[in-house]
Amino acid sequence: MTKDKNQDIDEVVEEFDEKIEEISTDKFPCPSCGGNMAFSPTEQKLQCPYCKTVVDIENESIEVKEYHLAEAEEMASHNWGNEKIVIKCSNCGGETVMDSSMQAQFCSFCGSSHILKTDENIGIKPETILPFSLDAKKSKDKFKKWIGGKFFAPKEVKQKHTLNRLQGIYIPFFTYDADSTTAYTAKRGVYYYTTHTSQVNGKMVTKRIRHTRWTTVRGVYAQYYDDVLVNSSKNMDDAMIKKIGGFDLRKLLPYKPEYMSGFIAEKYSLSLDEGWQKAKNQIDNQIDQGIRMQVGGDEFRLVNKSTNYGDIKFKHILLPMWMSAYKFKEKAYRFLINGQTGQVNGEYPKSALKISLVVLSVILVGAVAFFFLSRQ
Ligand SMILES: [Zn+2]
Ligand SMILES: [Zn+2]
């Protein structure tokens, strides 16, 4: 039985490898054989899938820009390099950006095959990109190990549905910079102690009692926030992304179409303003903590505050993930791997048959135990 399972998985791996070659771009011809080169996570270079020739990606002369929020839509470049197309899923509405030479067969977010090329605007070009460190083979191994350990996952899922849908996808994020000035009123509580001596049962007992003295503090807290990171995808929820851990953003590089070659990117679905609202929530929490530090004391209460933001700047960045989305009995599930660190997170359907077998055996063991215990 285990033999069968491995055979199935190996077949799927083969299919998948063929597809990876199929979807490579034709815009980076190999200098040796003319084949289509794609970005290689292991080499961190363009690599020819046929003759394995590698070519460096020059990236030194590119300047990373941040755009003022109000004018970002007009000022930022919409040219992603190479000819790109936008594919939209009619099932979940998810949109992906890819080289026009790529062939998409299913939606990366829900696994549906109802996908269409749209005329939709490609959106603002990413300013920086975190290239994949984890290649297709490693991510497939991770997946096999992960699903192999899920006892309750139905057999069908372990064999087919997921592995051939594992896709390297860059997920869009926005970063915001902002200057903030906050006028606030707060209460600072400082502890002081009094001692009380009384007679209990003929003995003198001294008690130390804590009190809080409150004073009102008014002040101004000014802080500059740099690169506040916001997930700008509505298809990928924050909680799921959190579970694959953080990314080392120091490794971000100025965007070049070479890094996307052989991969796809999700088109951001949050507007720049919606993204800013999310960033503001994060900043707001940090401001509260900053005020708390500034006010000091043993206890703290914020009475009110009012913040002015200035010099708000924006940047679009792409982060790498390996993802597999699939439908099982009309429900969508996702498997996600951090394309930089390899950290895994996923959802999977639980086999009703396997669960009831386990429940049944627990009941059986209980019944047998009861039978023997009651005879003693
Ligand atoms: Zn070649
Ligand atoms: Zn979809």
Side-chain angles (χ1 to χ4, degrees):
M1 172 153 171
T2 36
K3 232 180 196 169
D4 278 347
K5 196 175 82 185
N6 287 339
Q7 231 164 26
D8 264 11
I9 285 179
D10 288 341
E11 269 170 38
V12 175
V13 169
E14 248 168 60
E15 271 173 40
F16 181 78
D17 286 339
E18 280 164 21
K19 207 164 68 197
I20 279 284
E21 286 184 16
E22 223 171 83
I23 61 179
S24 297
T25 170
D26 58 5
K27 302 293 173 174
F28 298 107
C30 168
S32 309
C33 73
N36 309 327
M37 303 188 94
F39 178 72
S40 157
T42 44
E43 298 286 341
Q44 293 292 302
K45 290 170 184 173
L46 281 176
Q47 184 169 40
C48 173
Y50 309 102
C51 70
K52 305 295 174 202
T53 298
V54 289
V55 171
D56 281 343
I57 302 170
E58 303 282 330
N59 213 336
E60 267 119 46
S61 56
I62 304 170
E63 187 199 348
V64 172
K65 288 189 202 130
E66 292 178 318
Y67 301 92
H68 282 284
L69 192 58
E71 51 182 28
E73 237 10 295
E74 301 96 74
M75 298 299 285
S77 167
H78 290 69
N79 181 3
W80 289 43
N82 279 355
E83 197 192 329
K84 296 276 192 293
I85 48 169
V86 180
I87 300 287
K88 186 171 185 155
C89 170
S90 50
N91 181 47
C92 73
E95 290 181 311
T96 45
V97 176
M98 61 189 75
D99 286 355
S100 58
S101 53
M102 278 175 83
Q103 290 265 308
Q105 279 141 15
F106 51 84
C107 168
S108 295
F109 307 108
C110 71
S112 164
S113 53
H114 298 285
I115 50 171
L116 282 170
K117 191 181 158 220
T118 72
D119 297 329
E120 217 145 314
N121 186 320
I122 189 168
I124 292 171
K125 184 198 87 173
E127 207 59 40
T128 56
I129 184 166
L130 191 68
F132 278 86
S133 315
L134 196 75
D135 62 11
K137 192 190 167 300
K138 284 213 189 84
S139 68
K140 275 179 280 178
D141 290 344
K142 291 240 175 220
F143 177 75
K144 277 193 272 183
K145 211 175 148 201
W146 178 81
I147 197 74
K150 302 296 172 203
F151 176 76
F152 286 119
K155 207 166 132 242
E156 301 94 300
V157 174
K158 292 193 176 186
Q159 290 173 348
K160 282 226 170 75
H161 281 280
T162 31
L163 196 56
N164 58 356
R165 302 215 152 158
L166 204 57
Q167 164 81 62
I169 180 167
Y170 285 105
I171 301 297
F173 287 75
F174 293 155
T175 71
Y176 294 88
D177 299 349
D179 223 346
S180 74
T181 312
T182 306
Y184 64 84
T185 305
K187 300 261 187 203
R188 179 203 297 133
V190 176
Y191 295 150
Y192 66 98
Y193 299 86
T194 51
T195 47
H196 297 263
T197 309
S198 55
Q199 222 175 14
V200 181
N201 300 331
K203 277 185 197 160
M204 297 300 282
V205 176
T206 304
K207 264 201 228 156
R208 195 166 177 250
I209 297 171
R210 196 182 81 189
H211 309 270
T212 308
R213 188 177 291 119
W214 289 98
T215 43
T216 301
V217 183
R218 289 190 180 84
V220 173
Y221 179 76
Q223 187 63 262
Y224 180 75
Y225 293 93
D226 190 32
D227 288 346
V228 177
L229 189 68
V230 169
N231 162 20
S232 57
S233 161
K234 284 181 185 167
N235 296 303
M236 304 289 294
D237 62 288
D238 292 346
M240 190 139 180
I241 289 180
K242 228 181 205 158
K243 284 188 190 149
I244 57 165
F247 293 85
D248 182 0
L249 299 180
R250 290 169 305 179
K251 301 265 168 69
L252 278 166
L253 295 174
Y255 169 84
K256 285 199 88 179
E258 280 89 338
Y259 298 121
M260 258 191 76
S261 180
F263 294 93
I264 62 173
E266 182 189 355
K267 189 190 160 186
Y268 57 82
S269 43
L270 230 56
S271 71
L272 304 192
D273 278 327
E274 285 172 318
W276 167 236
Q277 293 311 317
K278 275 176 90 174
K280 227 161 58 172
N281 286 339
Q282 285 185 42
I283 292 175
D284 206 47
N285 285 330
Q286 290 181 40
I287 289 176
D288 286 359
Q289 285 169 26
I291 295 172
R292 188 180 186 333
M293 294 296 287
Q294 189 169 299
V295 169
D298 300 308
E299 279 187 42
F300 167 84
R301 275 181 214 149
L302 189 60
V303 179
N304 60 54
K305 72 172 199 283
S306 142
T307 305
N308 277 315
Y309 293 99
D311 201 22
I312 307 161
K313 281 191 202 139
F314 150 91
K315 174 166 94 250
H316 175 203
I317 73 174
L318 294 177
L319 300 181
M321 299 183 201
W322 285 95
M323 182 160 80
S324 164
Y326 56 100
K327 254 172 137 175
F328 187 77
K329 298 198 170 144
E330 296 310 303
K331 200 172 174 302
Y333 297 90
R334 268 184 212 162
F335 171 77
L336 208 62
I337 311 176
N338 185 319
Q340 186 182 34
T341 65
Q343 193 167 321
V344 170
N345 178 38
E347 312 158 318
Y348 62 97
K350 308 216 176 15
S351 159
L353 179 69
K354 283 186 182 178
I355 290 174
S356 37
L357 281 177
V358 167
V359 169
L360 213 70
S361 61
V362 167
I363 292 172
L364 216 68
V365 168
V368 169
F370 179 78
F371 177 74
F372 281 108
L373 288 174
S374 59
R375 279 161 56 105
Q376 280 179 350

